[in-house]
Amino acid sequence: MQEGKRVKAISIGLLGLGTVGSGVVKIIKNHQDKLIHQVGCPVVIKKILVQDLHKDRPVEIETGLLTSNADEILRDKEIDVVIEVMGGVEETKDYLISALRQGKHVVTANKDLMALHGSELLTVASEHGCDLFYEASVAGGIPILRGLVDGLASDRITQMMGIVNGTTNYILTKMSDEGRSYDEVLKEAQDLGFAEADPTSDVEGLDAARKMTILATLGFSMHIDLDDVKVCGISSITEEDLRYGKQLGYTMKLIGYAHREGEKVEVSVAPTFLSNNHPLASVQNEYNAVYVYGEAVGETMFYGPGAGSLPTATAVVSDLVGVMKNLRLGVNGRSAVTPQYPKLLKDNEEQFSKYFLRIHVQDEVGVFADITAIFAKYGVSFEKILQLPIKKNETSEIVLVTHKASLTNYDKILLELYDLKAVKEVKSAYRVVRKSL
Amino acid sequence: MQEGKRVKAISIGLLGLGTVGSGVVKIIKNHQDKLIHQVGCPVVIKKILVQDLHKDRPVEIETGLLTSNADEILRDKEIDVVIEVMGGVEETKDYLISALRQGKHVVTANKDLMALHGSELLTVASEHGCDLFYEASVAGGIPILRGLVDGLASDRITQMMGIVNGTTNYILTKMSDEGRSYDEVLKEAQDLGFAEADPTSDVEGLDAARKMTILATLGFSMHIDLDDVKVCGISSITEEDLRYGKQLGYTMKLIGYAHREGEKVEVSVAPTFLSNNHPLASVQNEYNAVYVYGEAVGETMFYGPGAGSLPTATAVVSDLVGVMKNLRLGVNGRSAVTPQYPKLLKDNEEQFSKYFLRIHVQDEVGVFADITAIFAKYGVSFEKILQLPIKKNETSEIVLVTHKASLTNYDKILLELYDLKAVKEVKSAYRVVRKSL
């Protein structure tokens, strides 16, 4: 910042004033000194798009700042940067494309939008010399995207595992710590505001899948679509599963898993038993973490709050600082790097995992031999077997942890298990990840 | 990268070819495609400064690349970037100042140099329009400096706690897990190459103090000197201490602690009992982690390998990518931000902590009352007290964990304890940090 020279303020248009939007207003207001110190000029919020002009807000807003007409932001030539924290996909996408076409830089916290249309938006941004930053779209306050793009710039990332949904991690932590049922804990989470009234997107793994799409695209430098991510949620996990996990030294987490081998990748979201010594196993409650394995760096992990008004707003304003630094240097729109590799997905026979299986069988002679014969047929051996007391109705429970099996063989084994007359039900089946890779 | 246009390669001069230097050579060689994709031009190592031209090297090096004359790098006009991985302070500083004065950008992994002369070097870099990046100087492969500078750019950081020395964390992990003595584990660590033949700098906390100097300067935007850091090492920790810690639900770590309150800060390095639910408590063996608390973001943690050839080299080459991106954009030398605040250190009466104390006393009536009276006199109460069986020679052991006390009062209490006739020895005294802040 040159002294004695009056520097023009940067003008912001804010789309949305919910919890994250209010956080952005607060941080820009409270940290004006730091922002001026870092980028050399003041930051002013010029206009805020809201649905209801008269609603009570958790922050003090000057009258006249609010508008319900998006054009007052998108067509205002004085607005340099549009911050999008309103959510939604199609209409929001149109707004942002309109903003970029008019040379406005964009910061967004919108994972749905970036997972579905990130590639198109980044292209438009680049064509118009605009920055489009979206750190807040994955893992809220954790600067993971910067970590991947800048911090590990010189490394080849081969694996990313993320606890990227706070709601499900809260539910699984409570179920595990307190031995309570999924339904009971979900209800409590809803009462406490940790889960939505309609929790589908969280508990069925869709939210996590969107974030993994963004992470995998950046980390593997390969355009991954949401449809490429195999998704399984947590709604059918039972207290019994978690209890067996504990006996075996495992912790259950909803894990977004992205793995690269050679030129091919796989991306999935599924409930997973982690060995207790895995760095992700100790990530509790609503916290998020992303574990990254790079060929050179080895294991790293980024941990922090995955959501919340101020954490997410911190990531948004940090992106804004990035835009403003680029503005000062006159280099906007040149930091995005297009994917280096064409998309190549692993086939099922190239995807390997250990599995935990809990099976209810007719308690009769030879059942166990029949079951193990199926696994042997596909070359899958066992790491652990739990012998369990006989239950009512002449049913026994068998718990198995396999060594690595391909997804193809695993699917075939499941089918053949169901064909066995003595197998009443495969109660549950989960991926298992131990610390050693 | 524009097609059809031949782009000039970036020329590197490497100072040093030890473990990290060899890693840098390997990564630049193996990841040439990725580097070209990211920055649009090839990267060539033009010259490497070594002491012994004929020594065997762990990487294949073209003949003619090695030199024992620094001037062949520092005065070569074609070299754009100098990477310093030779270590040392005074001579190295002269080399780097010479390089910067000749317009060469610098990447260094040298914590000693940055802790002692970082401010001066950054000033010279800025005067000559050069980048000076030093991510590898703290916590090896963990991109923590970027996290602080960019990722948390908009937040106000109030606390940083770091496990920033791998050797001591390895020793403490082994002592705790295996109940072995400090001397025994140190010996083993030396045999395995995890500890130096002269381990002083690691085990006495000096190495950690240098890293905390760099972290605190960046995180608090305040110039902190190495002399401002209070340092205590791990060499007097005993197996008994760790055993008591376990009983109380604590894990012992060598913690670099940096805390800001209002405008004042404190920075220290000391063995610390962490409650087991603290994210840093589960960081094991030679791993490093930095826990950062920001007013808006709340808790975040960065975890990874703190040292090692390839992890450290990854950070170095990632910095190199940063320099090259700036070169392409023509904006080198403008990313460093000078400290925003004047240095203000907390007085002893402004530094608060909980403490663990283990005291040997004469086993006689009234001793316990005398001891607690001293604490009461300074307004310090207890969180936990361990009653212990009487030992030989009519000595009893008392273990106390206090509520928060100022450093002033803590020092006075220690003095008065020693004045008590019945107190034979204060066997150990450590800081205690619980998860709730």
Side-chain angles (χ1 to χ4, degrees), chain A residues 308-358:
Chain A
S309 168
L310 285 176
T312 308
T314 301
V316 168
V317 181
S318 296
D319 271 354
L320 173 64
V321 169
V323 171
M324 297 197 304
K325 283 183 175 171
N326 285 348
L327 265 173
R328 192 186 57 165
L329 299 171
V331 296
N332 298 95
R334 288 190 253 170
S335 46
V337 175
T338 49
Q340 184 177 359
Y341 304 105
K343 182 165 80 184
L344 283 175
L345 299 175
K346 287 196 215 170
D347 298 323
N348 281 3
E349 57 262 38
E350 296 169 309
Q351 299 182 33
F352 289 88
S353 179
K354 300 181 178 192
Y355 292 97
F356 164 102
L357 289 152
R358 185 157 69 90

Side-chain angles (χ1 to χ4, degrees), chain A residues 1-307:
Chain A
M1 180 168 45
Q2 287 177 281
E3 282 177 45
K5 194 170 157 187
R6 213 175 133 61
V7 193
K8 190 178 155 288
I10 304 267
S11 277
I12 310 293
L14 192 60
L15 305 180
L17 189 57
T19 53
V20 178
S22 309
V24 169
V25 172
K26 260 187 225 161
I27 291 177
I28 289 181
K29 203 169 170 181
N30 295 345
H31 292 196
Q32 195 64 234
D33 282 354
K34 180 164 183 182
L35 292 171
I36 291 177
H37 179 77
Q38 286 183 314
V39 297
C41 65
V43 183
V44 176
I45 297 180
K46 200 177 170 208
K47 217 74 190 177
I48 304 174
L49 178 69
V50 294
Q51 282 194 307
D52 178 354
L53 291 173
H54 306 293
K55 195 171 142 184
D56 268 350
R57 304 287 170 182
V59 281
E60 216 179 295
I61 302 284
E62 282 173 51
T63 47
L65 225 54
L66 301 184
T67 177
S68 57
N69 176 4
D71 280 346
E72 285 197 29
I73 289 173
L74 303 175
R75 291 173 181 255
D76 183 336
K77 290 203 190 313
E78 285 182 6
I79 286 180
D80 307 289
V81 184
V82 168
I83 295 179
E84 186 272 303
V85 286
M86 60 189 275
V89 175
E90 294 309 328
E91 188 188 33
T92 312
K93 179 189 155 199
D94 293 342
Y95 285 174
L96 296 192
I97 284 185
S98 159
L100 291 167
R101 288 208 174 124
Q102 284 167 69
K104 299 187 194 316
H105 310 291
V106 169
V107 174
T108 175
N110 194 324
K111 61 190 166 290
D112 304 7
L113 180 62
M114 288 309 293
L116 290 167
H117 303 295
S119 163
E120 182 186 346
L121 285 164
L122 286 164
T123 304
V124 176
S126 161
E127 284 168 3
H128 290 81
C130 290
D131 285 334
L132 168 57
F133 292 158
Y134 51 101
E135 179 69 73
S137 68
V138 180
I142 312 175
I144 173 68
L145 300 190
R146 279 167 213 277
L148 289 181
V149 174
D150 297 328
L152 303 175
S154 66
D155 202 357
R156 180 180 155 86
I157 293 164
T158 56
Q159 193 186 73
M160 286 176 283
M161 286 172 61
I163 295 174
V164 289
N165 179 274
T167 304
T168 46
N169 204 45
Y170 176 87
I171 293 173
L172 291 175
T173 303
K174 289 284 166 202
M175 284 177 70
S176 171
D177 287 356
E178 298 166 15
R180 290 154 70 200
S181 76
Y182 168 79
D183 289 326
E184 198 184 328
V185 175
L186 171 61
K187 172 81 177 52
E188 182 189 273
Q190 286 172 320
D191 292 344
L192 291 169
F194 283 130
E196 310 264 350
D198 174 3
T200 314
S201 161
D202 289 321
V203 301
E204 297 307 340
L206 306 175
D207 175 83
R210 291 182 193 123
K211 292 164 178 169
M212 290 310 296
T213 304
I214 298 171
L215 278 177
T217 296
L218 271 176
F220 296 152
S221 198
M222 184 184 292
H223 179 73
I224 303 294
D225 290 298
L226 187 51
D227 290 343
D228 302 326
V229 185
K230 285 184 195 142
V231 185
C232 175
I234 66 162
S235 55
S236 58
I237 295 174
T238 64
E239 312 93 283
E240 288 81 37
D241 293 331
L242 299 193
R243 210 161 45 233
Y244 286 124
K246 270 192 189 167
Q247 285 183 41
L248 294 162
Y250 299 142
T251 303
M252 173 67 81
K253 298 288 176 191
L254 181 66
I255 294 293
Y257 181 81
H259 188 252
R260 162 153 75 180
E261 207 157 7
E263 299 178 332
K264 291 186 164 185
V265 308
E266 63 174 293
V267 187
S268 63
V269 171
T272 303
F273 273 129
L274 300 176
S275 62
N276 288 337
N277 67 343
H278 195 288
L280 288 172
S282 52
V283 176
Q284 302 218 305
N285 297 317
E286 74 279 19
Y287 278 89
N288 283 17
V290 180
Y291 169 95
V292 178
Y293 192 89
E295 278 180 356
V297 78
E299 300 188 295
T300 63
M301 188 175 80
F302 301 81
Y303 165 97

